[in-house]
Amino acid sequence: MSEENLPEGARAGGTQALPEYAERVLDVAERIPPGRVMTYGDVAEWLEEGGPRQVGRVMALYGGAVPWWRVVRADGVLLAGHELRALDHYRAEGTPLKEASRAAEGHLPRLDLRRARWDGDEGAEGHT
């Protein structure tokens, strides 16, 4: 999920237009407050269109210019290949995490979805 993954002009002020669904997904990602997350399925449900796989595809192709670390897997596992970058963002934003056990592969924490999940309510502030 980096700027270099973006098609030329996409979300960087260029002339290439994103598909309408992708624009909507990225707009939701930009609305998620710091320290909060939505799952891929949550985003699809909020949009009332598509599903987790479609949202994941949009984020993989175009998500580098938005806070991609706030759109997550439903099991709270950090995004493969981007774990450390995401973890830096989560810690900086105070996103609730569940520390990993010593037996966990890589000893990486998971997101505490019960506390970090955002329901899309514009007035929602802080953690629940």
Side-chain angles (χ1 to χ4, degrees):
M1 301 281 178
S2 65
E3 290 285 340
E4 38 298 339
N5 290 344
L6 290 174
E8 187 176 328
R11 277 285 206 205
T15 58
Q16 183 176 347
L18 291 175
E20 189 267 336
Y21 183 72
E23 281 286 351
R24 293 176 62 215
V25 167
L26 298 177
D27 286 343
V28 172
E30 288 178 329
R31 291 177 186 219
I32 303 169
R36 304 301 296 270
V37 298
M38 290 180 91
T39 68
Y40 298 114
D42 291 341
V43 172
E45 185 177 322
W46 197 82
L47 291 172
E48 298 179 345
E49 183 180 355
R53 289 177 188 245
Q54 289 83 3
V55 170
R57 181 76 174 148
V58 167
M59 293 303 295
L61 291 174
Y62 309 112
V66 299
W68 53 266
W69 58 92
R70 296 182 192 153
V71 181
V72 301
R73 293 173 41 149
D75 62 5
V77 172
L78 306 186
L79 183 63
H82 301 280
E83 299 95 334
L84 298 179
R85 286 183 57 213
L87 193 54
D88 286 344
H89 287 292
Y90 299 138
R91 288 184 171 147
E93 294 182 355
T95 307
L97 299 168
K98 291 182 179 180
E99 289 304 320
S101 70
R102 291 183 180 221
E105 187 177 327
H107 305 288
L108 290 171
R110 288 184 180 217
L111 291 158
D112 184 344
L113 289 177
R114 186 183 60 76
R115 293 176 38 226
R117 205 171 205 162
W118 186 61
D119 65 5
D121 180 11
E122 295 293 334
E125 292 292 328
H127 305 295
T128 56

